């Protein structure tokens, strides 16, 4: 099975209960996020609604574009500090 790697940072890591996982490839970012919301439920959903997403290190602006196998999605919640 071809997969996409999802990496969680900061509060997203705490909400997902892990730092990384894989999902099947060939879906959009929104499709992947729906699966993650189903997997992790009410703890992760609020984080996903405010997070930024990098696909292979580049900010993802087109959440309807199909993601090929092998890419890495970084889930970055808002960071505080200065």
């Amino acid at each position: 099975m071809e997969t996409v790697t999802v990496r969680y940072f900061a509060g997203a890591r705490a909400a997902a209960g892990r730092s990384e996982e894989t999902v099947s490839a060939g879906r959009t970012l929104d499709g992947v996020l729906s699966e993650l919301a189903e997997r992790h439920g009410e703890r992760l959903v609020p984080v996903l609604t405010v997070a930024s997403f990098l696909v292979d290190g580049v900010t993802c602006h087109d959440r309807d574009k199909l993601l090929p196998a092998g890419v890495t999605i970084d889930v970055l919640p808002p960071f505080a500090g200065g």
Side-chain angles (χ1 to χ4, degrees):
M1 172 170 70
E2 295 185 320
T3 61
V4 167
T5 301
V6 180
R7 299 188 305 183
Y8 299 103
F9 293 87
R13 180 184 302 132
R18 63 193 68 214
S19 61
E20 185 175 294
E21 66 184 309
T22 59
V23 296
S24 57
R27 290 181 288 161
T28 65
L29 178 59
D30 279 341
V32 169
L33 298 178
S34 291
E35 179 178 332
L36 297 174
E38 288 179 27
R39 281 188 190 185
H40 301 290
E42 62 188 52
R43 291 190 63 200
L44 185 59
V45 170
V47 176
L48 295 176
T49 61
V50 297
S52 297
F53 304 95
L54 303 180
V55 176
D56 283 346
V58 178
T59 302
C60 182
H61 295 290
D62 185 359
R63 294 170 62 137
D64 293 324
K65 181 179 176 184
L66 287 178
L67 300 173
V71 299
T72 299
I73 300 168
D74 293 329
V75 181
L76 305 170
F79 294 94

